[in-house]
Amino acid sequence: MAWPLLQLLLIAAPTAAGASSAMTPDGPAPWPEQFHAVLFTNLTNVSIASSGPPLRLHDLYYDWPRRRNLNLIQHQLSGDPLYDVEWNNGTTFYFDSATCRTEQFPVGVLRPGWLADGSAVYLGRETTGGFDCHVWGKAGFIVYYEDALTRRPVRWNFIDVTGIEQFVMSFEVGVVLEDDSQWQAPAHCFLDEAANKTNEDGDHVAVSNGVMDAARLFRKFAGAAAAY
Ligand SMILES: *[C@@H]1O[C@H](CO)[C@@H](O)[C@H](O)[C@H]1NC(C)=O
Ligand SMILES: *[C@@H]1O[C@H](CO)[C@@H](O)[C@H](O)[C@H]1NC(C)=O
Ligand SMILES: *[C@@H]1O[C@H](CO)[C@@H](O)[C@H](O)[C@H]1NC(C)=O
Ligand SMILES: *[C@@H]1O[C@H](CO)[C@@H](O)[C@H](O)[C@H]1NC(C)=O
């Protein structure tokens, strides 16, 4: 009779789903091609962050199809956000309302598989922020917590003197920042060479960070990962 078999399947299905979150996955999930995440950032090593406040809020707009990435960074109680706009040609514009730095990175925007492809090391299972997570590490550079149930990123820590820890407060797959004015570097990013130099000395952007910020660490990492 077919009936007991159907019953078996109905019983087996939820069990299998439950079991899969209990097992070690093959690797972390790749990033979706487009998402918006709000990240709470703590530069836990305050001594190195002394030139800037240790707590920040990041709006991360990851847009792989258009090969661009934007980090909108707000320091605690500061009304002047920092923009970190990264293009696939390696140019990154790092600016606020008054200052700008341009940096060139040999690799462009992080690939969706930057963590999932290749050499992520499984570090075990841990609860963080109340979420049961699979924990992954890569290249002695990052520790990455992924929700065992939904496979969304929950948190990551950079293995770096800054001790940057980022906590994923929201993760909206498919959300794109369409407003091109948000991506456009302002006029003060396009000063002449002499003005550039003067700009860099008293540079608010440089001073207020004083350290590699999380977005830069990611890029440094992408550069390192590309060499593997
Ligand atoms: C930030 O990190 C420091 C060092 O680990 C910790 O003492 C502090 O409580 C953290 N702050 C917040 C708001 O999580
Ligand atoms: C890279 O692309 C951006 C955005 O189109 C542009 O502003 C920048 O000048 C480009 N950089 C180089 C080195 O071509
Ligand atoms: C924190 O920063 C100080 C000053 O740069 C450094 O000596 C120390 O190693 C850092 N701590 C960690 C845990 O990386
Ligand atoms: C700096 O000077 C170069 C050369 O004139 C220019 O291409 C660039 O846009 C300027 N601005 C920055 C922030 O690099």
Side-chain angles (χ1 to χ4, degrees), residues 15 33 49 81 88 98 124 126 201 220:
T15 314
E33 296 215 333
N88 208 45
E126 198 181 314
D201 289 339
K220 199 173 121 191

mmCIF file with all atom_site columns, all heavy atoms in Angstrom, residues 15 33 49 81 88 98 124 126 201 220:
data_model
loop_
_atom_site.group_PDB
_atom_site.id
_atom_site.type_symbol
_atom_site.label_atom_id
_atom_site.label_alt_id
_atom_site.label_comp_id
_atom_site.label_asym_id
_atom_site.label_entity_id
_atom_site.label_seq_id
_atom_site.pdbx_PDB_ins_code
_atom_site.Cartn_x
_atom_site.Cartn_y
_atom_site.Cartn_z
_atom_site.occupancy
_atom_site.B_iso_or_equiv
_atom_site.pdbx_formal_charge
_atom_site.auth_seq_id
_atom_site.auth_comp_id
_atom_site.auth_asym_id
_atom_site.auth_atom_id
_atom_site.pdbx_PDB_model_num
ATOM 1  N N   . THR A 1 15  ? 12.343 15.764 9.747   1.00 0.00 ? 15  THR A N   1
ATOM 2  C CA  . THR A 1 15  ? 13.499 15.223 10.463  1.00 0.00 ? 15  THR A CA  1
ATOM 3  C C   . THR A 1 15  ? 14.774 15.502 9.677   1.00 0.00 ? 15  THR A C   1
ATOM 4  O O   . THR A 1 15  ? 15.779 15.920 10.229  1.00 0.00 ? 15  THR A O   1
ATOM 5  C CB  . THR A 1 15  ? 13.346 13.697 10.672  1.00 0.00 ? 15  THR A CB  1
ATOM 6  O OG1 . THR A 1 15  ? 12.033 13.464 11.143  1.00 0.00 ? 15  THR A OG1 1
ATOM 7  C CG2 . THR A 1 15  ? 14.354 13.184 11.680  1.00 0.00 ? 15  THR A CG2 1
ATOM 8  N N   . GLU A 1 33  ? 24.028 37.917 -4.269  1.00 0.00 ? 33  GLU A N   1
ATOM 9  C CA  . GLU A 1 33  ? 24.631 38.875 -5.207  1.00 0.00 ? 33  GLU A CA  1
ATOM 10 C C   . GLU A 1 33  ? 24.314 40.328 -4.867  1.00 0.00 ? 33  GLU A C   1
ATOM 11 O O   . GLU A 1 33  ? 25.066 41.229 -5.236  1.00 0.00 ? 33  GLU A O   1
ATOM 12 C CB  . GLU A 1 33  ? 24.204 38.550 -6.637  1.00 0.00 ? 33  GLU A CB  1
ATOM 13 C CG  . GLU A 1 33  ? 24.721 37.189 -7.089  1.00 0.00 ? 33  GLU A CG  1
ATOM 14 C CD  . GLU A 1 33  ? 25.085 37.156 -8.554  1.00 0.00 ? 33  GLU A CD  1
ATOM 15 O OE1 . GLU A 1 33  ? 24.497 37.940 -9.326  1.00 0.00 ? 33  GLU A OE1 1
ATOM 16 O OE2 . GLU A 1 33  ? 25.962 36.343 -8.918  1.00 0.00 ? 33  GLU A OE2 1
ATOM 17 N N   . ALA A 1 49  ? 42.298 52.378 18.701  1.00 0.00 ? 49  ALA A N   1
ATOM 18 C CA  . ALA A 1 49  ? 41.213 53.167 18.116  1.00 0.00 ? 49  ALA A CA  1
ATOM 19 C C   . ALA A 1 49  ? 41.102 54.525 18.780  1.00 0.00 ? 49  ALA A C   1
ATOM 20 O O   . ALA A 1 49  ? 40.138 55.251 18.588  1.00 0.00 ? 49  ALA A O   1
ATOM 21 C CB  . ALA A 1 49  ? 39.892 52.418 18.252  1.00 0.00 ? 49  ALA A CB  1
ATOM 22 N N   . PRO A 1 81  ? 28.405 61.232 8.196   1.00 0.00 ? 81  PRO A N   1
ATOM 23 C CA  . PRO A 1 81  ? 28.802 59.859 7.895   1.00 0.00 ? 81  PRO A CA  1
ATOM 24 C C   . PRO A 1 81  ? 29.988 59.793 6.935   1.00 0.00 ? 81  PRO A C   1
ATOM 25 O O   . PRO A 1 81  ? 30.220 60.714 6.154   1.00 0.00 ? 81  PRO A O   1
ATOM 26 C CB  . PRO A 1 81  ? 27.552 59.253 7.251   1.00 0.00 ? 81  PRO A CB  1
ATOM 27 C CG  . PRO A 1 81  ? 26.780 60.406 6.726   1.00 0.00 ? 81  PRO A CG  1
ATOM 28 C CD  . PRO A 1 81  ? 27.103 61.580 7.612   1.00 0.00 ? 81  PRO A CD  1
ATOM 29 N N   . ASN A 1 88  ? 34.919 48.109 -9.011  1.00 0.00 ? 88  ASN A N   1
ATOM 30 C CA  . ASN A 1 88  ? 35.620 46.881 -9.405  1.00 0.00 ? 88  ASN A CA  1
ATOM 31 C C   . ASN A 1 88  ? 36.976 47.141 -10.069 1.00 0.00 ? 88  ASN A C   1
ATOM 32 O O   . ASN A 1 88  ? 37.803 46.247 -10.159 1.00 0.00 ? 88  ASN A O   1
ATOM 33 C CB  . ASN A 1 88  ? 34.737 46.049 -10.336 1.00 0.00 ? 88  ASN A CB  1
ATOM 34 C CG  . ASN A 1 88  ? 35.063 44.575 -10.215 1.00 0.00 ? 88  ASN A CG  1
ATOM 35 O OD1 . ASN A 1 88  ? 35.218 44.065 -9.110  1.00 0.00 ? 88  ASN A OD1 1
ATOM 36 N ND2 . ASN A 1 88  ? 35.182 43.894 -11.346 1.00 0.00 ? 88  ASN A ND2 1
ATOM 37 N N   . ALA A 1 98  ? 33.616 66.900 4.020   1.00 0.00 ? 98  ALA A N   1
ATOM 38 C CA  . ALA A 1 98  ? 34.702 67.857 3.804   1.00 0.00 ? 98  ALA A CA  1
ATOM 39 C C   . ALA A 1 98  ? 35.964 67.252 3.195   1.00 0.00 ? 98  ALA A C   1
ATOM 40 O O   . ALA A 1 98  ? 36.739 67.956 2.563   1.00 0.00 ? 98  ALA A O   1
ATOM 41 C CB  . ALA A 1 98  ? 35.054 68.528 5.129   1.00 0.00 ? 98  ALA A CB  1
ATOM 42 N N   . GLY A 1 124 ? 33.831 25.048 14.208  1.00 0.00 ? 124 GLY A N   1
ATOM 43 C CA  . GLY A 1 124 ? 32.894 24.469 15.163  1.00 0.00 ? 124 GLY A CA  1
ATOM 44 C C   . GLY A 1 124 ? 31.625 25.267 15.297  1.00 0.00 ? 124 GLY A C   1
ATOM 45 O O   . GLY A 1 124 ? 31.301 26.093 14.451  1.00 0.00 ? 124 GLY A O   1
ATOM 46 N N   . GLU A 1 126 ? 28.942 27.527 17.735  1.00 0.00 ? 126 GLU A N   1
ATOM 47 C CA  . GLU A 1 126 ? 28.952 28.439 18.872  1.00 0.00 ? 126 GLU A CA  1
ATOM 48 C C   . GLU A 1 126 ? 27.706 29.309 18.841  1.00 0.00 ? 126 GLU A C   1
ATOM 49 O O   . GLU A 1 126 ? 27.237 29.686 17.767  1.00 0.00 ? 126 GLU A O   1
ATOM 50 C CB  . GLU A 1 126 ? 30.207 29.324 18.768  1.00 0.00 ? 126 GLU A CB  1
ATOM 51 C CG  . GLU A 1 126 ? 30.598 30.013 20.063  1.00 0.00 ? 126 GLU A CG  1
ATOM 52 C CD  . GLU A 1 126 ? 31.839 30.891 19.865  1.00 0.00 ? 126 GLU A CD  1
ATOM 53 O OE1 . GLU A 1 126 ? 32.823 30.424 19.235  1.00 0.00 ? 126 GLU A OE1 1
ATOM 54 O OE2 . GLU A 1 126 ? 31.801 32.048 20.326  1.00 0.00 ? 126 GLU A OE2 1
ATOM 55 N N   . ASP A 1 201 ? 47.184 65.809 4.653   1.00 0.00 ? 201 ASP A N   1
ATOM 56 C CA  . ASP A 1 201 ? 47.827 66.104 5.930   1.00 0.00 ? 201 ASP A CA  1
ATOM 57 C C   . ASP A 1 201 ? 46.827 66.280 7.072   1.00 0.00 ? 201 ASP A C   1
ATOM 58 O O   . ASP A 1 201 ? 46.905 65.622 8.082   1.00 0.00 ? 201 ASP A O   1
ATOM 59 C CB  . ASP A 1 201 ? 48.711 67.359 5.804   1.00 0.00 ? 201 ASP A CB  1
ATOM 60 C CG  . ASP A 1 201 ? 49.947 67.058 4.965   1.00 0.00 ? 201 ASP A CG  1
ATOM 61 O OD1 . ASP A 1 201 ? 50.281 65.873 4.860   1.00 0.00 ? 201 ASP A OD1 1
ATOM 62 O OD2 . ASP A 1 201 ? 50.539 68.000 4.418   1.00 0.00 ? 201 ASP A OD2 1
ATOM 63 N N   . LYS A 1 220 ? 41.873 44.222 1.923   1.00 0.00 ? 220 LYS A N   1
ATOM 64 C CA  . LYS A 1 220 ? 43.201 43.652 2.130   1.00 0.00 ? 220 LYS A CA  1
ATOM 65 C C   . LYS A 1 220 ? 43.079 42.133 2.060   1.00 0.00 ? 220 LYS A C   1
ATOM 66 O O   . LYS A 1 220 ? 43.883 41.448 1.445   1.00 0.00 ? 220 LYS A O   1
ATOM 67 C CB  . LYS A 1 220 ? 43.715 44.083 3.513   1.00 0.00 ? 220 LYS A CB  1
ATOM 68 C CG  . LYS A 1 220 ? 45.204 43.960 3.707   1.00 0.00 ? 220 LYS A CG  1
ATOM 69 C CD  . LYS A 1 220 ? 45.601 44.566 5.046   1.00 0.00 ? 220 LYS A CD  1
ATOM 70 C CE  . LYS A 1 220 ? 46.272 43.540 5.927   1.00 0.00 ? 220 LYS A CE  1
ATOM 71 N NZ  . LYS A 1 220 ? 46.439 43.986 7.316   1.00 0.00 ? 220 LYS A NZ  1
#
